[in-house]
Amino acid sequence: MNVTIFSGAAALAAAVADIVAERVRRSPSLVLGLPTGRTPLGLYRQLVRASREGGIDFSRVTTFNLDEFLGVLCHEAGSYRQYMERHFFRHVNLDRRQVHFLDGAADDPQAECDRYETAIEAAGGIDLQILGIGANGHIGFNEPGDRLVARTHVVRLRVETRRANASLFGGDVDRVPRYALSMGMATILHARAIVLMATGAEKAGCVAAMINGPLATRTPASFLQLHPEVRVLLDQAAARTLK
Ligand code: F6R
């Protein structure tokens, strides 16, 4: 893994925005995998600014988001879809026909997961996948456990993950759905290139386990060690316990 440590979150976000901008300039029809959460907020701010200043043209880019809560309608405030609308989609010139999202309100969630896999394949696969990491070592919503699932699937969220997402649901953890739809480990690992961002001291443990630890289903992010093109961008707090 190629690891870079930044003085702070703003410098890190600017560096990831530069990677995305450079990739889009080189391949205007890039297929981009996107995360939600607190970590990429600075990245989306930088990308929106670059887009307004004419530095990135998203008109031919295709996007696939990593995950969505089960049972949440796409226009509900707590949905990841709405997060993306607020922070990114509505501010840039993406072609809406090329924005892909898991439908958390689908009648048949497994069929919805299968549809997503087919759509990723039809787009030619993901060129660049941006990731955050959960403090428990999850990527997407592939939670730690005895086994991991390869393809897009329904997941039961762990309580710490629901707590981390409570702010999307008025701070009330009981309102955070218990299940979600998520790209699987192979869906993520088949991306041609991966950029993982992590900031803050609460990520130091999982970052060290991901980079220095053994491959373990208890730390899903550790499987990124198998990928030939992963860049990990950290702030100093998240890098604090790295060997
Ligand atoms: C979100 C996602 C998650 C987050 C992770 C970190 O779409 O896939 O894996 O990246 O939970 O979240 P933050 O950035 O809020 O700490």
Side-chain angles (χ1 to χ4, degrees), residues 77-89:
S79 68
Y80 277 167
R81 173 71 197 224
Q82 285 307 311
Y83 166 108
M84 291 302 298
E85 291 293 341
R86 277 195 301 280
H87 298 294
F88 187 51
F89 292 160

PDB file of all heavy atoms in Angstrom, residues 77-89:
ATOM      1  N   ALA A  77     -34.346  12.616   4.193  1.00  0.00           N
ATOM      2  CA  ALA A  77     -33.158  13.378   4.594  1.00  0.00           C
ATOM      3  C   ALA A  77     -32.014  12.479   5.066  1.00  0.00           C
ATOM      4  O   ALA A  77     -30.858  12.778   4.828  1.00  0.00           O
ATOM      5  CB  ALA A  77     -33.529  14.375   5.680  1.00  0.00           C
ATOM      6  N   GLY A  78     -32.316  11.373   5.719  1.00  0.00           N
ATOM      7  CA  GLY A  78     -31.259  10.511   6.263  1.00  0.00           C
ATOM      8  C   GLY A  78     -30.581   9.625   5.231  1.00  0.00           C
ATOM      9  O   GLY A  78     -29.581   8.970   5.540  1.00  0.00           O
ATOM     10  N   SER A  79     -31.130   9.588   4.012  1.00  0.00           N
ATOM     11  CA  SER A  79     -30.558   8.653   3.022  1.00  0.00           C
ATOM     12  C   SER A  79     -29.187   9.147   2.557  1.00  0.00           C
ATOM     13  O   SER A  79     -28.900  10.345   2.559  1.00  0.00           O
ATOM     14  CB  SER A  79     -31.491   8.520   1.816  1.00  0.00           C
ATOM     15  OG  SER A  79     -31.532   9.742   1.099  1.00  0.00           O
ATOM     16  N   TYR A  80     -28.358   8.209   2.163  1.00  0.00           N
ATOM     17  CA  TYR A  80     -27.058   8.573   1.596  1.00  0.00           C
ATOM     18  C   TYR A  80     -27.243   9.294   0.259  1.00  0.00           C
ATOM     19  O   TYR A  80     -26.422  10.122  -0.133  1.00  0.00           O
ATOM     20  CB  TYR A  80     -26.190   7.329   1.435  1.00  0.00           C
ATOM     21  CG  TYR A  80     -25.464   6.928   2.706  1.00  0.00           C
ATOM     22  CD1 TYR A  80     -24.853   5.683   2.805  1.00  0.00           C
ATOM     23  CD2 TYR A  80     -25.364   7.793   3.795  1.00  0.00           C
ATOM     24  CE1 TYR A  80     -24.161   5.303   3.951  1.00  0.00           C
ATOM     25  CE2 TYR A  80     -24.675   7.420   4.947  1.00  0.00           C
ATOM     26  CZ  TYR A  80     -24.075   6.182   5.017  1.00  0.00           C
ATOM     27  OH  TYR A  80     -23.381   5.814   6.152  1.00  0.00           O
ATOM     28  N   ARG A  81     -28.321   8.961  -0.435  1.00  0.00           N
ATOM     29  CA  ARG A  81     -28.616   9.653  -1.687  1.00  0.00           C
ATOM     30  C   ARG A  81     -28.748  11.159  -1.437  1.00  0.00           C
ATOM     31  O   ARG A  81     -28.186  11.983  -2.162  1.00  0.00           O
ATOM     32  CB  ARG A  81     -29.903   9.080  -2.283  1.00  0.00           C
ATOM     33  CG  ARG A  81     -30.422   9.796  -3.499  1.00  0.00           C
ATOM     34  CD  ARG A  81     -29.503   9.522  -4.665  1.00  0.00           C
ATOM     35  NE  ARG A  81     -29.704  10.476  -5.732  1.00  0.00           N
ATOM     36  CZ  ARG A  81     -29.776  10.128  -7.015  1.00  0.00           C
ATOM     37  NH1 ARG A  81     -29.652   8.884  -7.369  1.00  0.00           N
ATOM     38  NH2 ARG A  81     -29.925  11.029  -7.933  1.00  0.00           N
ATOM     39  N   GLN A  82     -29.495  11.512  -0.361  1.00  0.00           N
ATOM     40  CA  GLN A  82     -29.672  12.938  -0.056  1.00  0.00           C
ATOM     41  C   GLN A  82     -28.364  13.576   0.403  1.00  0.00           C
ATOM     42  O   GLN A  82     -28.102  14.736   0.114  1.00  0.00           O
ATOM     43  CB  GLN A  82     -30.786  13.142   0.978  1.00  0.00           C
ATOM     44  CG  GLN A  82     -32.158  12.974   0.391  1.00  0.00           C
ATOM     45  CD  GLN A  82     -32.356  13.854  -0.860  1.00  0.00           C
ATOM     46  OE1 GLN A  82     -32.077  15.040  -0.867  1.00  0.00           O
ATOM     47  NE2 GLN A  82     -32.810  13.226  -1.944  1.00  0.00           N
ATOM     48  N   TYR A  83     -27.569  12.831   1.157  1.00  0.00           N
ATOM     49  CA  TYR A  83     -26.228  13.324   1.530  1.00  0.00           C
ATOM     50  C   TYR A  83     -25.474  13.704   0.255  1.00  0.00           C
ATOM     51  O   TYR A  83     -24.885  14.781   0.152  1.00  0.00           O
ATOM     52  CB  TYR A  83     -25.495  12.229   2.303  1.00  0.00           C
ATOM     53  CG  TYR A  83     -23.997  12.432   2.472  1.00  0.00           C
ATOM     54  CD1 TYR A  83     -23.449  12.778   3.709  1.00  0.00           C
ATOM     55  CD2 TYR A  83     -23.107  12.237   1.407  1.00  0.00           C
ATOM     56  CE1 TYR A  83     -22.066  12.947   3.863  1.00  0.00           C
ATOM     57  CE2 TYR A  83     -21.743  12.403   1.558  1.00  0.00           C
ATOM     58  CZ  TYR A  83     -21.229  12.755   2.785  1.00  0.00           C
ATOM     59  OH  TYR A  83     -19.870  12.918   2.931  1.00  0.00           O
ATOM     60  N   MET A  84     -25.467  12.818  -0.729  1.00  0.00           N
ATOM     61  CA  MET A  84     -24.712  13.076  -1.957  1.00  0.00           C
ATOM     62  C   MET A  84     -25.294  14.265  -2.721  1.00  0.00           C
ATOM     63  O   MET A  84     -24.553  15.056  -3.310  1.00  0.00           O
ATOM     64  CB  MET A  84     -24.682  11.829  -2.854  1.00  0.00           C
ATOM     65  CG  MET A  84     -23.860  10.678  -2.302  1.00  0.00           C
ATOM     66  SD  MET A  84     -22.118  11.070  -1.976  1.00  0.00           S
ATOM     67  CE  MET A  84     -21.496  11.485  -3.620  1.00  0.00           C
ATOM     68  N   GLU A  85     -26.645  14.377  -2.708  1.00  0.00           N
ATOM     69  CA  GLU A  85     -27.275  15.533  -3.373  1.00  0.00           C
ATOM     70  C   GLU A  85     -26.793  16.827  -2.728  1.00  0.00           C
ATOM     71  O   GLU A  85     -26.375  17.752  -3.407  1.00  0.00           O
ATOM     72  CB  GLU A  85     -28.815  15.449  -3.259  1.00  0.00           C
ATOM     73  CG  GLU A  85     -29.450  14.332  -4.069  1.00  0.00           C
ATOM     74  CD  GLU A  85     -29.322  14.529  -5.577  1.00  0.00           C
ATOM     75  OE1 GLU A  85     -29.070  15.657  -6.032  1.00  0.00           O
ATOM     76  OE2 GLU A  85     -29.454  13.526  -6.300  1.00  0.00           O
ATOM     77  N   ARG A  86     -26.867  16.854  -1.372  1.00  0.00           N
ATOM     78  CA  ARG A  86     -26.504  18.074  -0.624  1.00  0.00           C
ATOM     79  C   ARG A  86     -25.049  18.474  -0.849  1.00  0.00           C
ATOM     80  O   ARG A  86     -24.747  19.638  -1.042  1.00  0.00           O
ATOM     81  CB  ARG A  86     -26.666  17.821   0.887  1.00  0.00           C
ATOM     82  CG  ARG A  86     -28.063  17.979   1.424  1.00  0.00           C
ATOM     83  CD  ARG A  86     -28.067  18.082   2.947  1.00  0.00           C
ATOM     84  NE  ARG A  86     -27.493  16.960   3.668  1.00  0.00           N
ATOM     85  CZ  ARG A  86     -28.116  15.805   3.918  1.00  0.00           C
ATOM     86  NH1 ARG A  86     -29.342  15.608   3.476  1.00  0.00           N
ATOM     87  NH2 ARG A  86     -27.523  14.847   4.615  1.00  0.00           N
ATOM     88  N   HIS A  87     -24.173  17.479  -0.784  1.00  0.00           N
ATOM     89  CA  HIS A  87     -22.745  17.816  -0.751  1.00  0.00           C
ATOM     90  C   HIS A  87     -22.048  17.776  -2.113  1.00  0.00           C
ATOM     91  O   HIS A  87     -20.966  18.325  -2.255  1.00  0.00           O
ATOM     92  CB  HIS A  87     -22.013  16.887   0.223  1.00  0.00           C
ATOM     93  CG  HIS A  87     -22.510  17.031   1.622  1.00  0.00           C
ATOM     94  ND1 HIS A  87     -22.342  18.188   2.353  1.00  0.00           N
ATOM     95  CD2 HIS A  87     -23.215  16.186   2.412  1.00  0.00           C
ATOM     96  CE1 HIS A  87     -22.899  18.046   3.545  1.00  0.00           C
ATOM     97  NE2 HIS A  87     -23.442  16.843   3.600  1.00  0.00           N
ATOM     98  N   PHE A  88     -22.661  17.108  -3.086  1.00  0.00           N
ATOM     99  CA  PHE A  88     -21.925  16.942  -4.341  1.00  0.00           C
ATOM    100  C   PHE A  88     -22.811  17.019  -5.602  1.00  0.00           C
ATOM    101  O   PHE A  88     -22.658  17.935  -6.400  1.00  0.00           O
ATOM    102  CB  PHE A  88     -21.156  15.621  -4.289  1.00  0.00           C
ATOM    103  CG  PHE A  88     -20.220  15.381  -5.434  1.00  0.00           C
ATOM    104  CD1 PHE A  88     -19.286  16.345  -5.802  1.00  0.00           C
ATOM    105  CD2 PHE A  88     -20.257  14.185  -6.145  1.00  0.00           C
ATOM    106  CE1 PHE A  88     -18.425  16.141  -6.863  1.00  0.00           C
ATOM    107  CE2 PHE A  88     -19.390  13.966  -7.210  1.00  0.00           C
ATOM    108  CZ  PHE A  88     -18.476  14.944  -7.562  1.00  0.00           C
ATOM    109  N   PHE A  89     -23.734  16.082  -5.749  1.00  0.00           N
ATOM    110  CA  PHE A  89     -24.417  15.915  -7.041  1.00  0.00           C
ATOM    111  C   PHE A  89     -25.036  17.215  -7.570  1.00  0.00           C
ATOM    112  O   PHE A  89     -24.876  17.549  -8.734  1.00  0.00           O
ATOM    113  CB  PHE A  89     -25.519  14.857  -6.945  1.00  0.00           C
ATOM    114  CG  PHE A  89     -25.036  13.444  -6.742  1.00  0.00           C
ATOM    115  CD1 PHE A  89     -25.902  12.472  -6.237  1.00  0.00           C
ATOM    116  CD2 PHE A  89     -23.735  13.064  -7.050  1.00  0.00           C
ATOM    117  CE1 PHE A  89     -25.481  11.164  -6.045  1.00  0.00           C
ATOM    118  CE2 PHE A  89     -23.301  11.759  -6.858  1.00  0.00           C
ATOM    119  CZ  PHE A  89     -24.187  10.808  -6.351  1.00  0.00           C
TER     120      PHE A  89
END
